[in-house]
């Protein structure tokens, strides 16, 4: 076996039956490999966003400032959505409500009340999300216009079906 100057076997030295490609392979990989790769591409959509500025909650449902993620899925997937908010110190016992939203679908509401600073966290599962573009948001509102959050994070983990 003689290699060319690039360290490769010259095509002329390879027997004819070995140079053909299978009908079900591409670059030496079977079709199942590429189907799995599409699922891995969906998993690569997992992402998060964090904001570290103080923000006052509205007094009716609204998007929480800067906590929005966009994903585009190739196939049906499950979403695991996580949110963490750092509540600013409060001595009055105000109440706040939070929920995740996927496109136009509102998920379960989390209620937070009490005094002092708190870290509020939530986890939502939303299964069977179809292919295409989707937006995940965190929404909330406070019992009055003095309820504030500082550092906040929204994350989504995409799990292909």
């Amino acid at each position: 076996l003689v290699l060319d100057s690039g360290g490769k076997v010259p095509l002329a030295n390879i027997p004819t039956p070995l140079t053909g490609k299978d009908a079900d392979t591409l670059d030496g990989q079977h079709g199942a490999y590429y189907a799995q790769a599409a699922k891995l591409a969906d998993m690569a959509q997992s992402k998060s966003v964090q904001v570290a500025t103080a923000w006052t909650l509205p007094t009716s449902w609204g998007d929480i400032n800067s906590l929005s993620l966009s994903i585009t899925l190739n196939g049906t997937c499950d979403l695991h959505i996580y949110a963490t908010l750092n509540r600013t110190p409060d001595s009055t016992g105000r109440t706040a409500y939070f929920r995740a939203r996927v496109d136009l679908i509102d998920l379960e509401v989390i209620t937070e009340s009490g005094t002092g600073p708190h870290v509020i966290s939530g986890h939502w599962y939303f299964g069977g999300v179809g292919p295409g573009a989707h937006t995940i948001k965190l929404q909330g509102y406070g019992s009055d216009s003095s309820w504030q959050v500082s550092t906040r994070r929204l994350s989504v983990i995409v799990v292909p079906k």
Side-chain angles (χ1 to χ4, degrees), residues 4-113:
D4 65 15
S5 62
K8 298 177 182 169
V9 177
L11 188 58
N13 294 349
I14 300 173
T16 303
L18 296 178
T19 59
K21 291 278 186 187
D22 267 28
D24 67 342
T25 62
L26 176 64
D27 294 336
Q29 299 293 335
H30 286 276
Y33 169 84
Y34 291 101
Q36 182 63 29
K39 289 185 176 188
L40 293 175
D42 281 333
M43 287 187 75
Q45 293 289 322
S46 299
K47 55 177 77 173
S48 65
V49 61
Q50 179 170 311
V51 182
T53 57
W55 188 73
T56 302
L57 288 172
T59 55
S60 60
W61 284 113
D63 297 343
I64 294 181
N65 188 35
S66 303
L67 290 188
S68 178
L69 295 168
S70 297
I71 58 173
T72 302
L73 303 176
N74 296 307
T76 301
C77 297
D78 294 340
L79 304 181
H80 292 269
I81 303 163
Y82 300 89
T84 305
L85 301 108
N86 187 11
R87 174 183 169 176
T88 56
D90 178 30
S91 60
T92 62
R94 297 176 182 90
T95 302
Y97 307 89
F98 302 97
R99 69 183 177 203
R101 177 177 248 201
V102 178
D103 299 326
L104 298 175
I105 300 170
D106 298 327
L107 305 182
E108 181 182 357
V109 175
I110 294 173
T111 303
E112 166 62 29
S113 61

